[in-house]
Each structure stands twice: as C-alpha cells, then as structure tokens.
Amino acid sequence: MHDLIEGVGRFMGTVHAKEKALFERLAHSQSPTTFFLTCSDSRVDPSLITQTEPGEMFVLRNAGNIIPRPEAGATGEAATLEYAVELLRVPDLIVCGHSNCGAMQGVLHPEKLLSVPNVDRWLRHASPTRGLVDKNFAAATEEVRWLAAVELNVLVQIEHLRLHPFARRAMDAGRLAVHAWVYDIGSGEVRAFDTSSHRFERINETTRALEGSPAGTPAEWPF
Ligand SMILES: [Zn+2]
C-alpha cells in the first residue's frame, strides 16, 4: 500500500500538472473512441498495451471478460455497455482476452471452484466456451485447451453482446465495430481475430472488425 500512496503523490505532484490542459478538458466531458472489455487480471493493462491516454477508452473489466446474456437482467456489464453504446456512442468495441487467464482455467475445471461459489456462478456465463473447447479440442493438451478457451471465449462473449438489443441496433446501423483480441502476457503480442483466416493473427493496421464493417459476419466464425 505504501508504494501506491507514494505513486498518488507523484501523480498529483508531477504527472497531472504536466498534462494540465488534457485534464482540464476532460474535467468537463468525455468522448471515448473505444470501449475496452478485458479481464480483471493484474497483468493486463489496457492503457499500456494500447498506449492510450485518459479519456480515450471506456474500460470495463471483470473475471474472464464476460458479457452476460440479456436474460441475466440489468447486470453491471449490460448497463455499462448500454451507457457507452447508446449515450457515449463509442464507435469501436474491443473484447480482449489474455494468455494464462485464471478465469478460463476455472471455466475448463469447474470442479476446482468448490470453495468460491460466486466465481463458479459467474463463470457459468462462459459455459458455451467450455462446450466449444470440449467439442473442438477434446484430445488436445491442457495448454492448447487453455489458449483455445481464451480465444473462443472472446468470440462467445461477442455473441452474447449481439443478443442485447442496444448492441444489435448499433451493429446493424454500422455505428459500432466489434473487435476480438487476445493479449499474450509473456511476449507482449496482441492478436486480433481475422475474418479471412478465421484465426487470431498478430494485430496490424489492416486488421478488420468483426462487425460494423462489411468484413465480418457470424457465419464466418469458427463455430
Ligand atoms: Zn483473466
């Protein structure tokens, strides 16, 4: 905790002062260009991996970068997404999973979650992910199944997003482009789902969105 207090001191004393004009502008309003949903894992830092500044990204984090389906009710995720899509009109939405995700380990091995019933219940929002891994990677090693769960879960959660009327409307109107990303902690590599190869490929400037652009349709997904 001591380190954090020191950090806040440095932020108030030097960092904030250096960017005075930026923070003065942000004090009155926000107009983020991107919604970024990722895992709560401490090793994933959205601003660091995208090199963005305060005000640029509207960030939502939870265990497993999950979007509950509409039947789950007015969850924090649905409310946060709806606010950003309907009122802030963010044009781009990224769902970003990551390597060695503990939540995905839990999805693959619910028997390990007996002592954490809330985690167990929460991760049921990702149960289709486990089904897809079991179906397509039945004989694979644990390591391969784990990474497959990370990748497939990003696509599953985007499928859940699509079920929300506010998101569906925005996608159909072409005012919301959706992107599926996976971040590798060890190498620093960020890969995006490519609608041509149907694989997660190292990201580059020509990587296209899954939705909201002519490039992607659900039929092109790997399941
Ligand atoms: Zn995680």
Side-chain angles (χ1 to χ4, degrees):
M1 193 63 197
H2 180 66
D3 288 352
L4 267 70
I5 301 293
E6 268 190 4
V8 171
R10 278 199 305 281
F11 172 72
M12 293 190 295
T14 56
V15 178
H16 191 278
K18 236 190 248 176
E19 297 285 345
K20 201 164 179 282
L22 169 68
F23 286 108
E24 273 176 4
R25 178 168 55 79
L26 291 175
H28 302 292
S29 67
Q30 64 168 331
S31 186
T33 58
T34 308
F35 189 106
F36 198 94
L37 168 63
T38 192
C39 188
S40 297
D41 193 298
S42 63
R43 300 164 294 178
V44 181
D45 186 332
S47 299
L48 185 68
I49 64 178
T50 56
Q51 292 290 287
T52 47
E53 292 192 331
E56 290 187 61
M57 293 205 303
F58 201 80
V59 178
L60 173 61
R61 307 183 68 160
N62 60 40
N65 37 271
I66 280 167
I67 301 173
R69 296 161 61 100
E71 306 90 274
T75 59
E77 286 69 27
T80 307
L81 284 155
E82 186 179 57
Y83 179 80
V85 171
E86 284 293 317
L87 300 183
L88 297 178
R89 298 268 161 167
V90 289
D92 285 287
L93 189 152
I94 296 162
V95 179
C96 184
H98 68 95
S99 60
N100 297 82
C101 180
M104 290 309 105
Q105 189 65 209
V107 167
L108 293 178
H109 296 285
E111 73 279 5
K112 292 179 181 172
L113 302 175
L114 292 176
S115 65
V116 282
N118 290 296
V119 177
D120 182 30
R121 282 189 65 189
W122 172 248
L123 292 180
R124 288 179 204 172
H125 293 301
S127 54
T129 302
R130 186 185 172 198
L132 286 165
V133 173
D134 285 345
K135 186 175 156 203
N136 296 296
F137 298 89
T141 63
E142 268 299 303
E143 199 180 344
V144 168
R145 284 169 58 85
W146 196 1
L147 180 59
V150 168
E151 293 184 348
L152 288 167
N153 183 59
V154 171
L155 300 176
V156 164
Q157 300 310 326
I158 289 173
E159 193 70 42
H160 290 177
L161 173 71
R162 176 203 311 284
L163 299 172
H164 288 269
F166 68 85
R168 184 72 262 170
R169 277 197 303 274
M171 290 176 192
D172 287 349
R175 64 176 167 84
L176 181 66
V178 181
H179 313 261
W181 287 12
V182 168
Y183 167 57
D184 186 279
I185 296 165
S187 69
E189 186 173 75
V190 179
R191 292 176 297 118
F193 187 72
D194 186 287
T195 51
S196 308
S197 66
H198 297 187
R199 293 165 58 94
F200 282 82
E201 310 273 13
R202 189 184 168 94
I203 202 162
N204 62 59
E205 291 193 358
T206 62
T207 305
R208 292 171 300 183
L210 288 174
E211 292 248 15
S213 76
T217 68
E220 291 173 309
W221 294 12
F223 55 90

